Amino acid sequence: MTFPVLGLVLIAAIAHAVWNLAAKSVTGKGFAFVLGYHGLSAILLAPVAAVIIATGAQPLNWGLVGAAALSAVFHIAYSVALQSGYDHAPLGVVYPTARGTGPVVTIIIAVALLGERPTLAEALGAFTVIAGIAVVTIRPRGGDGPTTSDGLRRGLAWGGLIGAFIASYTLWDDFAVNHVSDSPLLYFAVSEACVGLIMTAGAFTLPGGQDRRADLREILRNHKRALVTVAILSPLAYVLVLYAMQQAPVALVAPVRETSIIVGTLLAWWFFGERNVLLKLAGALVVVTGIGLIALG
């Protein structure tokens, strides 16, 4: 992995952690909030997509639309599960568990089924990053953090489910940007449009649709800052990752992007009173060591 690609992934990691902090601030209205920020992202990306198509840089075809639609399904599952997880468990448990589980599954599938073969240094670095993430999630026995045992169990369960969805969209999108679309930006713009259309249809056809529409109106009135933050930083973070996956194996991009876990857990400590900060910093050091090994590889 080259240093420019590494830089893309690290910038994406910071943006990802910040938007998750904003998402955690909106509770009890998961479906509506996900619809709101994906819909706003689709609107913001539409002019960019139109320019790409108009200039002929990347044609819009049914293959691209189909791939983007499947990606949208994975991203809807991930986004709704993430908001539900934040409703039921602390950020400092859900976020690191989800981000740690995702790359483990991704690496296993990428090596076993996709034939990717990282160098020894890159593979060692990837698993060192994962080890650092594991250190961040440790809750010492008798620790003074606010997380209860029930909250920890719920966080681990939700995090595991979210991590499975992360692996699903990561592997599919890696395939799509390398075999279906030459433009990650157009691919993601179409995917966001599909998310908006699917979820809007759900808001009118699924049971409880009237309540979800009322929730959306409340979010548009009272949660504008969180909505705009996620709508901008979430696409930025993921488009950078898509470009990185065109230039480096997904088995390496997946764990490096999870350095966002360090930023996320420190933000959880700062804003939500999560403790054990020294342990989190030790995990950060392990993660940085892993990144260095990947860069050298």
Side-chain angles (χ1 to χ4, degrees):
M1 181 181 289
T2 65
F3 281 103
V5 174
L6 183 61
L8 286 179
V9 181
L10 293 178
I11 293 171
I14 294 171
H16 191 279
V18 173
W19 81 249
N20 271 262
L21 182 71
K24 172 64 176 175
S25 69
V26 180
T27 59
K29 299 175 176 62
F31 186 98
F33 184 63
V34 171
L35 170 57
Y37 74 72
H38 276 294
L40 181 56
S41 293
I43 292 170
L44 294 174
L45 288 168
V48 179
V51 170
I52 294 173
I53 296 169
T55 58
Q58 168 69 53
L60 183 65
N61 53 56
W62 286 112
L64 189 152
V65 172
L70 181 55
S71 176
V73 173
F74 289 138
H75 278 274
I76 290 170
Y78 157 75
S79 299
V80 173
L82 183 70
Q83 289 302 129
S84 297
Y86 286 160
D87 283 345
H88 294 91
L91 173 71
V93 179
V94 175
Y95 190 70
T97 304
R99 305 315 301 182
T101 303
V104 173
V105 177
T106 301
I107 289 173
I108 292 171
I109 295 177
V111 172
L113 301 181
L114 304 183
E116 292 192 356
R117 292 295 180 265
T119 66
L120 179 60
E122 289 172 333
L124 181 60
F127 283 100
T128 301
V129 169
I130 294 169
I133 291 171
V135 172
V136 173
T137 67
I138 291 174
R139 288 293 191 276
R141 186 180 300 274
D144 58 353
T147 304
T148 65
S149 58
D150 286 343
L152 180 59
R153 285 193 293 270
R154 287 195 302 269
L156 291 173
W158 278 106
L161 176 64
I162 296 162
F165 290 138
I166 290 171
S168 298
Y169 74 64
T170 299
L171 289 166
W172 176 252
D173 290 344
D174 174 67
F175 171 81
V177 298
N178 284 289
H179 298 92
V180 178
S181 173
D182 293 329
S183 172
L185 188 54
L186 178 61
Y187 171 74
F188 187 73
V190 176
S191 177
E192 286 292 87
C194 290
V195 171
L197 291 173
I198 293 170
M199 295 196 73
T200 298
F204 284 92
T205 60
L206 294 176
Q210 185 174 354
D211 291 337
R212 292 190 179 95
R213 295 193 296 274
D215 287 343
L216 179 59
R217 289 192 293 270
E218 198 274 332
I219 286 169
L220 293 174
R221 286 194 303 268
N222 300 321
H223 296 282
K224 294 184 183 70
R225 180 176 298 179
L227 192 67
V228 172
T229 298
V230 180
I232 292 174
L233 292 186
S234 177
L236 172 64
Y238 201 58
V239 167
L240 291 177
V241 168
L242 292 178
Y243 276 106
M245 288 194 297
Q246 284 189 320
Q247 302 173 63
V250 66
L252 301 181
V253 174
V256 175
R257 71 184 291 240
E258 306 316 338
T259 51
S260 63
I261 199 171
I262 303 302
V263 182
T265 50
L266 290 176
L267 289 174
W269 163 71
W270 182 263
F271 287 98
F272 300 118
E274 295 282 339
R275 300 186 182 180
N276 304 319
V277 66
L278 293 179
L279 194 61
K280 298 178 193 300
L281 292 176
L285 181 60
V286 176
V287 170
V288 169
T289 301
I291 293 173
L293 288 170
I294 291 173
L296 292 174

